[in-house]
Amino acid sequence: QVQLVESGGGLVQPGGSLRLSCATSRSIFSFNVMGWYRQAPGKERELVAGITSGGYRNYADSVKGRFTISGDNAKNTVYLQMNNLKPEDTAVYYCNARIVIPRTYDYWGQGTQVTVSS
């Protein structure tokens, strides 16, 4: 059974930083893609950052240059370093892991709240 557990959310002032962690129950290399999504009240869930098992990364335009996704295989953990946070970054952040063999399937964590406010 695959489990994803997020941590690291909290309340920060604009311009501050947070690092989110997603601890997995198995090797991160067993997933084809892992990523971070976020959902603000009244809005659709959106992809923030993703990383493939081959190390390719992509980011939403709104966070490019401010956020960095990375993985630590030894710890079975994927991180999202968030710098220069803005109020519009406020959302629940969800860890996602996708496999494509034997079929495409997405696993989700429970989410962690990030609030950026002065």
Side-chain angles (χ1 to χ4, degrees):
Q1 182 68 210
V2 171
Q3 294 186 35
L4 308 176
V5 180
E6 302 102 330
S7 62
L11 173 64
V12 297
Q13 295 184 351
S17 298
L18 285 173
R19 188 177 74 162
L20 306 184
S21 298
C22 175
T24 71
S25 59
R26 70 190 206 191
S27 172
I28 61 175
F29 291 131
S30 69
F31 305 106
N32 294 99
V33 188
M34 295 195 70
W36 289 93
Y37 288 72
R38 67 186 181 188
Q39 187 167 25
K43 295 186 179 296
E44 293 187 26
R45 188 172 300 187
E46 64 173 346
L47 176 66
V48 177
I51 184 168
T52 73
S53 60
Y56 297 104
R57 307 172 185 179
N58 75 289
Y59 301 90
D61 288 342
S62 60
V63 308
K64 193 171 297 182
R66 299 188 297 121
F67 291 10
T68 303
I69 187 170
S70 62
D72 186 337
N73 182 57
K75 297 182 178 180
N76 287 353
T77 299
V78 169
Y79 303 96
L80 184 68
Q81 179 67 46
M82 305 185 294
N83 297 326
N84 192 24
L85 284 160
K86 304 175 180 180
E88 51 263 43
D89 294 319
T90 296
V92 177
Y93 284 70
Y94 297 91
C95 183
N96 167 265
R98 171 172 287 188
I99 60 171
V100 298
I101 298 173
R103 61 178 178 84
T104 299
Y105 192 84
D106 288 315
Y107 300 94
W108 295 93
Q110 294 300 305
T112 184
Q113 177 71 48
V114 172
T115 302
V116 185
S117 176
S118 60

